[in-house]
Amino acid sequence: MTRPLTPRQQNVYDFIVKTMNDLGYPPTRAEIARALGFRSPNAAEEHLRALNRKGAIRMIPGTSRGIRLTAQEATTEPQGTTTEAAPTPQEGLAIIGEVAAGSPILAAEHIDRYCPLPPDYFTPRADYLLRVRGLSMQDIGILEGDLLAVHRTEHIRDGQIVVARLEDEVTVKRFKRQGHKVWLIAENADFPTIEVDLRHQDLEIEGIGVGVIRGGNGQALH
C-alpha cells in the first residue's frame, strides 16, 4: 500500500480482507454495498477504483469477484521452505442447501453437511456441492434433489452449466453471453430462458457444473 487511505476506503479495504479471511474469496460490489450501507454497487466500485489507484488492491476486469490484495501477492515463500496446510474442521465437499438472499454461497449457515468425496474426484476439482431445486435442467439429467458439483472460476464459456446468482436468486442454467446480454437457458421446454442485461442487472456466476451426484446418494456422474 503506497498511499494513505481515507476512512471510508479503509472500511472497504478491511471488509475485503475480512471476507477473504473468512470465506477464501473476495466480495462482490453488491456485497460491499450491502455490508457498508452504500446506495448501490456503483458506489462500491468507485471506492474499489480508488483502492486500485492507491495500490492497496489489484482489480481484474470482467469478473464479479475480481479483487486481489497486493500485500498478499507480494508475499512469497523463501526458497527451500515448506508450509504445512492448515487443518480443516471437516473433510470432503460442503453440501449447500437453501441460499439466503445477499449471503455468500459458502456461508456456514448454507452448509447442510459434508460429502466424503475429495475435491479432485471431479475435473476440474469441485469446490462445493449444490443441492438442485426444481426441474429446469431435467433434459440433461440434472434432477430435483441431485447434488451438482461446482468448480469456482472466473473463466466462463458459452454453453457451460453455471450456478448463477441473479438479484439474490440462485439458479442452475446453461450460460450464453453476447456483449452486455447474458442468457440463462433452461434444459426443459416448460421453463423460459432468462435474459439478463448486465448494464442494469447484477449477475454473479458462482461456478460451473463439473459433475452430478444422483439424488445425493453417492452415485457420481461426470
Side-chain angles (χ1 to χ4, degrees), residues 54-164:
K54 291 183 175 183
I57 65 171
R58 181 169 65 89
M59 295 173 65
I60 300 174
T63 62
S64 63
R65 299 186 189 272
I67 303 169
R68 299 292 180 268
L69 298 177
T70 54
Q72 289 185 354
E73 291 185 330
T75 302
T76 57
E77 289 293 329
Q79 284 191 330
T81 64
T82 59
T83 57
E84 190 172 315
T88 55
Q90 299 285 349
E91 294 295 329
L93 292 166
I95 297 176
I96 306 300
E98 296 289 342
V99 179
S103 183
I105 201 163
L106 285 173
E109 63 266 27
H110 300 156
I111 298 174
D112 290 344
R113 57 186 177 87
Y114 286 80
C115 174
L117 280 175
D120 57 6
Y121 182 86
F122 301 92
T123 303
R125 62 184 282 123
D127 293 296
Y128 62 92
L129 301 171
L130 179 70
R131 190 172 299 283
V132 176
R133 308 291 181 187
L135 298 172
S136 67
M137 302 300 284
Q138 69 174 8
D139 290 354
I140 57 170
I142 302 176
L143 308 178
E144 172 91 27
D146 286 352
L147 299 178
L148 179 69
V150 183
H151 170 68
R152 295 184 67 90
T153 178
E154 299 169 347
H155 305 290
I156 311 299
R157 299 192 308 272
D158 280 0
Q160 289 183 310
I161 303 303
V162 300
V163 177

Side-chain angles (χ1 to χ4, degrees), residues 181-199:
K181 289 288 186 70
V182 168
W183 292 267
L184 301 174
I185 304 167
E187 293 289 348
N188 181 338
D190 293 333
F191 289 78
T193 293
I194 301 170
E195 184 175 319
V196 183
D197 188 331
L198 297 177
R199 297 171 299 180

Side-chain angles (χ1 to χ4, degrees), residues 8 29-30 32-45 47:
R8 203 56 165 150
R29 279 70 168 163
I32 294 171
R34 281 192 294 266
L36 300 180
F38 298 149
R39 286 181 296 179
S40 73
N42 289 337
E45 176 75 14
H47 286 294

